[in-house]
Amino acid sequence: NSVHPIFSDFTRRVSEKFTCVNRTNIQRPKPRPLDPSFEDKVLLPLSRTIEVAIEQGRAHHSKFILSGSVFELAVSPKISIISYLKRLATFFPCSKECFVIATVLIGRFETISSSPILSTRTSHSIILTALAIAHKFHDDVTVKNSFISEVGGVDLPHDCCVD
């Protein structure tokens, strides 16, 4: 099964144009100060929405919550949803619009899922995954998955499964 020369040439040309994404010498983004209006208008409502979804899933479908998925962590993280979102907003080098896109992605995933997906053991992974997808989709310059994993507190193998 050899690759057709047209495809290999195309792959080479594309990788040459987008080397900025895969360079190893990219400097780590510096933490940025958290804008209070962004926290009030985006992070707090997103946090409340996720917490309500977790409670609804726990109250109505506790035995049907998505378990055994790549999103499920071994233990529930000790960091609250709002603290986690603030951490991501501070250290994750994405645009603010990515948080809005991530909110839409989480809502769509929750809508198409046959059972509740948000729980205390899946919410952090789902938030990080949605934000990473939004970042890769919306922003011009993206960071490596290893950096996303480090900021999000998720091991690299878990992140690769999600990606």
Side-chain angles (χ1 to χ4, degrees):
N1 285 341
S2 63
V3 177
H4 193 278
I6 293 174
F7 293 111
S8 62
D9 183 52
F10 173 76
T11 305
R12 181 188 52 75
R13 284 185 286 135
V14 168
S15 64
E16 286 172 0
K17 286 187 178 192
F18 295 101
T19 52
C20 64
V21 174
N22 298 321
R23 285 191 316 215
T24 56
N25 61 352
I26 293 177
Q27 296 220 348
R28 301 185 117 211
K30 298 202 186 291
R32 59 181 176 219
L34 191 59
D35 179 13
S37 66
F38 178 68
E39 182 179 346
D40 291 340
K41 293 178 181 175
V42 177
L43 298 183
L44 285 173
L46 176 56
S47 171
R48 288 187 194 120
T49 303
I50 290 172
E51 288 168 356
V52 166
I54 290 170
E55 288 303 317
Q56 287 176 347
R58 192 181 295 156
H60 299 294
H61 306 285
S62 60
K63 65 182 179 179
F64 299 111
I65 289 179
L66 190 64
S67 62
S69 74
V70 294
F71 297 110
E72 189 171 34
L73 301 173
V75 295
S76 298
K78 292 182 174 33
I79 187 171
S80 67
I81 300 291
I82 187 62
S83 298
Y84 190 65
L85 288 170
K86 287 179 184 179
R87 173 187 170 91
L88 292 175
T90 302
F91 294 102
F92 198 107
C94 67
S95 61
K96 294 177 180 179
E97 294 84 3
C98 290
F99 283 87
V100 177
I101 295 169
T103 305
V104 172
L105 290 173
I106 292 169
R108 287 186 180 175
F109 191 42
E110 182 79 22
T111 302
I112 64 169
S113 180
S114 59
S115 62
I117 60 164
L118 289 167
S119 71
T120 56
R121 289 173 58 180
T122 61
S123 58
H124 293 73
S125 299
I126 290 172
I127 291 168
L128 182 64
T129 302
L131 192 59
I133 291 169
H135 173 60
K136 290 179 180 187
F137 173 76
H138 182 267
D139 293 341
D140 292 331
V141 177
T142 61
V143 294
K144 288 183 162 190
N145 284 347
S146 57
F147 182 75
I148 295 171
S149 297
E150 186 178 329
V151 169
V154 177
D155 291 335
L156 185 58
H158 181 274
D159 183 56
C160 288
C161 291
V162 170
D163 200 23

